[in-house]
Every structure is written in C-alpha cells, then in structure tokens.
Amino acid sequence: MCTSVPISRLTPVVFQVNPQFYAFRWITLLLTQEFKFSDCLHLWDTLLGDPEGPQVTELPSSVPCCVMHFEARETKTLLLRMQATLLRICCAMLILVRRRLLAGDFTANLKLLQSYPPTNIDHLLHIANKLRGPLPY
C-alpha cells in the first residue's frame, strides 16, 4: 500500500479552502496561534537561524515600506531567509494533515486548518527541511 498522497490529489482539496482563511493568520502571526509558546520559540529559532540564506534574490513587494528604508544587506537577507523558511513550514503543516484534508469536506478542512492539531515540532521542521530545493552551487 502506498503511503504517500500525490500532490495532484491534494491540491484541489486544499484549494477548496482559500489560503486567506488560514495561511494569512499563520504567516502574519508567525504561527503563534497554532502552537504552544515553547514550540513557537523553537520555530522562531529556526526562522532566525536558518543557515541556508535567502531563497530569492529580490526583496518581495509585500514587505512594508518602512522596512525598505533599512538599506543594510543583513536586514534584507534576514527577511528573505525568514520568508522562505516560514513558507516551507506552512507547506509542511499542510503535508502533515494531508490525509485529513483529503477525507474532509470544506467545513471540516476549514476547521482543521484554522485550529491546527497538536504536532511534533521536530517532525514538522524535518518535513519543512526536506522541502528545500537543491543548493544553487
């Protein structure tokens, strides 16, 4: 029996629930509503200490103008690194509940994504780390 679910089957189910209903909160609150405080500290440590560096070369337009005034390269690099890592963590969160998403309807999936179940943070970060692309060099 195959234990993996193809992403092509998961995509339509996830898109039944607009990301604005769950991902906006995940990202803007840096996952503080989904996990215990001690787990959030572990996640934030990962966000701030990601050794891989930026995944993109330009600062996204979604970054507020006040941040753009900081011309320090370190600030831009930190924001890019955090954004890429945070998005990988959010994708890993979807992967970890994929079976429940596939089995649920719109209402059940919305409730699941807005009230994320307790999760082993180390396993979540392991899955997020596996989502890294190959290094560019």
Side-chain angles (χ1 to χ4, degrees), residues 43-54:
L43 288 169
W44 295 342
D45 186 48
T46 301
L47 288 172
L48 294 170
D50 187 353
E52 188 176 290

Side-chain angles (χ1 to χ4, degrees), residues 3-36:
T3 59
S4 64
V5 177
I7 195 71
S8 59
R9 281 197 53 218
L10 183 58
T11 303
V13 175
V14 172
F15 286 135
Q16 286 179 7
V17 180
N18 290 334
Q20 295 91 325
F21 295 149
Y22 61 93
F24 181 77
R25 183 175 95 168
W26 290 359
I27 292 169
T28 57
L29 299 176
L30 292 176
L31 304 171
T32 56
Q33 301 300 304
E34 280 59 52
F35 301 107
K36 296 182 298 186

Side-chain angles (χ1 to χ4, degrees), residues 65-80:
C65 293
C66 59
V67 174
M68 297 296 280
H69 293 292
F70 294 105
E71 289 299 321
R73 185 150 184 81
E74 295 80 20
T75 302
K76 290 181 183 180
T77 301
L78 177 63
L79 288 171
L80 294 169

Side-chain angles (χ1 to χ4, degrees), residues 92-111:
M93 289 170 67
L94 292 172
I95 289 169
L96 289 177
V97 295
R98 69 185 176 273
R99 290 184 189 275
R100 291 167 80 177
L101 289 171
L102 287 168
D105 61 358
F106 174 83
T107 306
N109 289 347
L110 181 61
K111 192 178 285 190

Side-chain angles (χ1 to χ4, degrees), residues 109-125:
N109 289 347
L110 181 61
K111 192 178 285 190
L112 172 66
L113 295 172
Q114 288 184 339
S115 305
Y116 198 80
T119 302
N120 179 326
I121 296 300
D122 290 323
H123 182 63
L124 174 68
L125 292 174

